């Protein structure tokens, strides 16, 4: 039964149907959302650490704003998948053939948690630049080849806001 | 969506065998790949250990861009490349594929760990943690006269060989015919997937032919001090990126009034109608 469920989720998510073609349209929308929800969640977990650990006030403010905006976006994304009757998460590795799950190392939260002050600031900035750079990659693909207007619009906002965040974070690093 | 789901469900039986065939090879794999011999910069620093790299170059790369790049050593890639490498990767950023995550790989240094090679045939190895069938691999070498303390530009690359319609395994070898060079050079590769994705992977492997002059130690240019301009928002005004807003500040955006719910510096993509976490419509 479990295998059947996995297969069902897999087929519905559109991967198996066309393994030989570049993913686009409805199946890309689904994959994008299924990949971005856990990615957002990981980002939220990392920036949430800034509240008690960051030294730089501007970094703390940016981290808090990233935390609340990404939590809100994740809610919107879950709502779309639910309304389409699609699973919120894809079977592990089912998207590897199309670009994989770009997820930061879960152990990073542990490594960050152990740091304080300037050391924490530098590590969080570098990790979040990498994390948001991954988000830009996924968003660019969806914005260019997705199907639903509202999903493509969100992807476009993700691409622009993460690019701007990376710019801010690089400035923070330069002065750290 | 609904119609597509019905179609997908109807074809479940027919697709089951295909799905199984597709699932099996992907369950053990999680990502992609890079050159392992001569080792690419990302592979070298990953092998040294992201948290405690040994070489000065890897230490500098981690200092410049953090450790995450080296945990994700097999993803120096662009998802939507589709063969447009020269259009989308700027000169000077070829080793990072233009990605901020991998910016440490673009450091212009003459001390990146390099494999000693000479002209003639050279067997290179690509380590693919997720081999994708039907892929094209292109190999290049820097022109005679290029120096590792200069930015790597597309025009610095001389084409060596291209292998199309390849079905890579975990470790795949190709034999390249290497021309005469002196000193340090880079072997550059592009892995363009053809099936299932437009994604392409990029690698910079440092090699040393010997006989080169050792340039003086490189000093990284210090970026000019950045001055942070904190704009004091007017009590009310038009929303503007770059402005820092505090709770209670009011703005207009496209003729609609909003009140700030959480202190933040406004950026493109965080316009008030799209960020209910930051702005409340009045």
């Amino acid at each position: 039964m479990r295998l059947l469920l996995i297969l069902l989720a897999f087929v519905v998510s559109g991967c198996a149907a066309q393994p030989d073609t570049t993913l686009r349209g409805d199946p890309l929308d689904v994959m994008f959302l299924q990949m971005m929800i856990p990615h957002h969640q990981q980002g939220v977990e990392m920036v949430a650490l800034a509240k008690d650990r960051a030294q730089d006030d501007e970094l703390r403010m940016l981290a808090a704003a990233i935390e609340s905006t990404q939590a809100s976006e994740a809610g919107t994304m879950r709502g779309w998948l639910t309304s389409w009757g699609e699973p919120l998460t894809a079977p592990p590795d089912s998207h590897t053939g199309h670009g994989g799950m770009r997820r930061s190392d879960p152990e990073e939260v542990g490594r960050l948690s152990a740091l304080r002050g300037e050391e924490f600031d530098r590590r969080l900035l570098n990790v979040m630049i990498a994390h948001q750079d991954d988000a830009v990659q996924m968003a660019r693909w969806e914005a260019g080849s997705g199907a639903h207007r509202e999903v493509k619009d969100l992807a476009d906002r993700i691409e622009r806001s993460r690019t701007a965040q990376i710019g801010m974070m690089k400035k923070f690093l330069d002065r750290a | 969506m609904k119609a597509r789901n019905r179609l997908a469900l109807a074809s479940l039986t027919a697709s089951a065998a295909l799905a199984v065939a597709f699932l099996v090879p992907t369950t053990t794999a999680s990502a992609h790949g890079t050159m392992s011999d001569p080792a690419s910069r990302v592979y070298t620093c990953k092998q040294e250990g992201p948290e405690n790299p040994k070489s000065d170059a890897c230490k500098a790369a981690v200092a410049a861009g953090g450790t995450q790049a080296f945990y994700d050593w097999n993803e120096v890639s662009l998802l939507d490349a589709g063969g447009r490498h020269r259009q989308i990767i700027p000169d000077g950023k070829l080793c990072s594929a233009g990605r901020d995550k991998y910016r440490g790989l673009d450091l212009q240094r003459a001390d990146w760990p390099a494999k000693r090679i000479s002209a003639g045939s050279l067997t290179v190895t690509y380590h693919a943690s997720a081999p994708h069938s039907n892929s094209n691999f292109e190999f290049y070498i820097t022109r005679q006269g290029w120096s590792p303390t200069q930015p790597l530009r597309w025009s610095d690359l001389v084409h060596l060989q291209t292998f199309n319609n390849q079905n890579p395994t975990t470790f795949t070898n190709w034999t390249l015919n290497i021309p005469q060079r002196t000193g340090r050079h880079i072997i550059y590769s592009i892995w363009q997937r053809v099936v299932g994705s437009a994604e392409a992977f990029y690698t910079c492997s440092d090699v040393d032919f010997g006989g080169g002059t050792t340039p003086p130690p490189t000093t990284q240019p210090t970026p000019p001090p950045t001055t942070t301009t904190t704009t004091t928002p007017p009590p009310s005004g038009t929303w503007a990126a770059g402005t820092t807003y505090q709770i209670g500040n009011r703005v207009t955006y496209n003729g609609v009034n909003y009140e700030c719910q959480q202190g933040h510096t406004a950026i493109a993509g965080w316009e008030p109608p799209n960020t209910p976490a930051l702005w409340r419509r009045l």
Side-chain angles (χ1 to χ4, degrees):
Chain A
M1 187 58 199
R2 186 155 177 269
L3 179 65
L4 180 67
L5 280 175
I6 289 172
L7 282 178
L8 187 68
F10 196 64
V11 172
V12 169
S13 73
C15 278
Q18 302 168 303
D20 284 351
T21 53
T22 299
L23 198 59
R24 55 188 305 112
D26 284 349
L28 176 59
D29 288 350
V30 172
M31 177 181 114
F32 171 73
L33 297 172
Q34 289 175 340
M35 283 166 69
M36 283 308 266
I37 290 168
H39 193 263
H40 270 52
Q41 185 53 37
Q42 280 191 320
V44 164
E45 281 173 33
M46 293 192 288
V47 290
L49 299 170
K51 206 179 310 170
D52 302 324
R53 291 173 180 80
Q55 174 176 294
D56 185 293
D57 289 339
E58 280 191 85
L59 171 58
R60 259 206 312 279
M61 181 166 72
L62 175 63
I66 290 175
E67 184 181 350
S68 56
T69 49
Q70 287 197 184
S72 159
E73 285 170 357
T76 304
M77 293 192 283
R78 278 193 293 269
W80 286 332
L81 286 173
T82 304
S83 72
W84 299 341
E86 298 284 355
L88 292 180
T89 51
D93 291 335
S94 64
H95 294 317
T96 305
H98 296 298
M101 301 287 277
R102 289 173 183 254
R103 301 183 62 170
S104 307
D105 189 343
E107 288 171 29
E108 188 55 37
V109 174
R111 289 190 285 260
L112 275 169
S113 301
L115 303 177
R116 293 290 186 282
E118 197 190 322
E119 249 191 318
F120 172 85
D121 288 9
R122 290 196 68 83
R123 186 154 190 127
L124 181 69
L125 286 165
N126 276 321
V127 161
M128 285 304 294
I129 288 169
H131 184 82
Q132 302 301 48
D133 189 40
D134 286 341
V136 167
Q137 284 294 305
M138 290 192 278
R140 218 169 257 169
W141 189 11
E142 165 63 27
S145 305
H148 285 72
R149 186 76 261 164
E150 68 268 33
V151 184
K152 292 173 70 165
D153 285 349
L154 173 65
D156 174 63
R157 291 197 301 275
I158 289 175
E159 182 184 348
R160 289 187 295 124
S161 59
R162 274 43 162 191
T163 301
Q165 288 167 21
I166 289 170
M168 285 176 78
M169 293 191 285
K170 283 166 79 177
K171 271 190 198 162
F172 293 172
L173 264 182
D174 282 347
R175 73 180 185 212
Chain B
M1 269 299 165
K2 272 199 173 137
R4 187 175 58 73
N5 285 355
R6 270 201 302 275
L7 189 65
L9 286 168
S11 65
L12 174 62
T13 317
S15 304
L18 187 58
V20 169
F22 189 59
L23 264 176
V24 171
T26 60
T27 43
T28 51
S30 60
H32 319 292
T34 192
M35 282 269 279
S36 55
D37 184 22
S40 64
R41 290 178 177 179
V42 78
Y43 201 74
T44 296
C45 301
K46 167 247 179 187
Q47 294 292 71
E48 290 185 14
E51 302 298 335
N52 290 297
K54 289 167 187 62
S55 64
D56 287 345
C58 289
K59 282 177 189 164
V62 167
T67 58
Q68 195 62 46
F70 305 105
Y71 289 107
D72 299 340
W73 58 274
N74 46 17
E75 288 185 354
V76 187
S77 65
L78 294 172
L79 274 174
D80 61 346
R84 300 172 301 137
H85 323 297
R86 286 159 189 79
Q87 288 159 255
I88 56 182
I89 302 178
D91 279 342
K93 297 187 174 181
L94 270 61
C95 296
S96 66
R99 293 189 51 184
D100 285 309
K101 175 177 181 175
Y102 294 104
R103 64 198 186 282
L105 302 178
D106 289 321
L107 293 184
Q108 293 153 31
R109 303 174 63 94
D111 62 353
W112 282 99
K115 178 177 175 143
R116 186 65 188 255
I117 66 165
S118 48
S121 72
L122 174 74
T123 299
V124 300
T125 306
Y126 209 101
H127 181 183
S129 53
H132 302 293
S133 63
N134 198 347
S135 294
N136 298 340
F137 288 81
E138 297 170 36
F139 294 93
Y140 298 84
I141 191 163
T142 43
R143 61 178 170 81
Q144 180 70 293
W146 177 80
S147 154
T149 57
Q150 295 167 2
L152 178 61
R153 298 165 304 182
W154 285 108
S155 58
D156 292 323
L157 296 180
V158 177
H159 181 244
L160 290 173
Q161 267 153 288
T162 295
F163 302 89
N164 288 332
N165 307 312
Q166 302 290 297
N167 296 310
T169 54
T170 304
F171 289 95
T172 307
N173 293 336
W174 291 278
T175 302
L176 305 177
N177 191 19
I178 302 292
Q180 292 285 349
R181 292 285 186 274
T182 46
R184 287 177 160 266
H185 284 272
I186 285 179
I187 293 179
Y188 192 76
S189 83
I190 302 172
W191 169 9
Q192 176 64 61
R193 294 177 59 190
V194 178
V195 164
S197 168
E199 184 173 30
F201 300 84
Y202 306 87
T203 69
C204 279
S205 299
D206 294 85
V207 291
D208 190 352
F209 290 78
T213 49
T214 312
T218 48
T219 47
Q220 295 302 320
T222 26
T226 41
T227 46
T228 317
T229 47
T230 320
T231 322
T232 314
S236 65
T238 306
W239 178 89
T243 306
T244 299
Y245 294 105
Q246 307 297 340
I247 295 174
N249 285 165
R250 291 185 174 193
V251 294
T252 56
Y253 184 83
N254 281 350
V256 180
N257 297 314
Y258 296 88
E259 184 176 293
C260 180
Q261 302 294 292
Q262 180 179 348
H264 67 282
T265 298
I267 53 174
W270 274 359
E271 294 81 8
N274 305 317
T275 47
L278 304 177
W279 294 101
R280 182 171 67 92
R281 188 178 171 155
L282 296 174

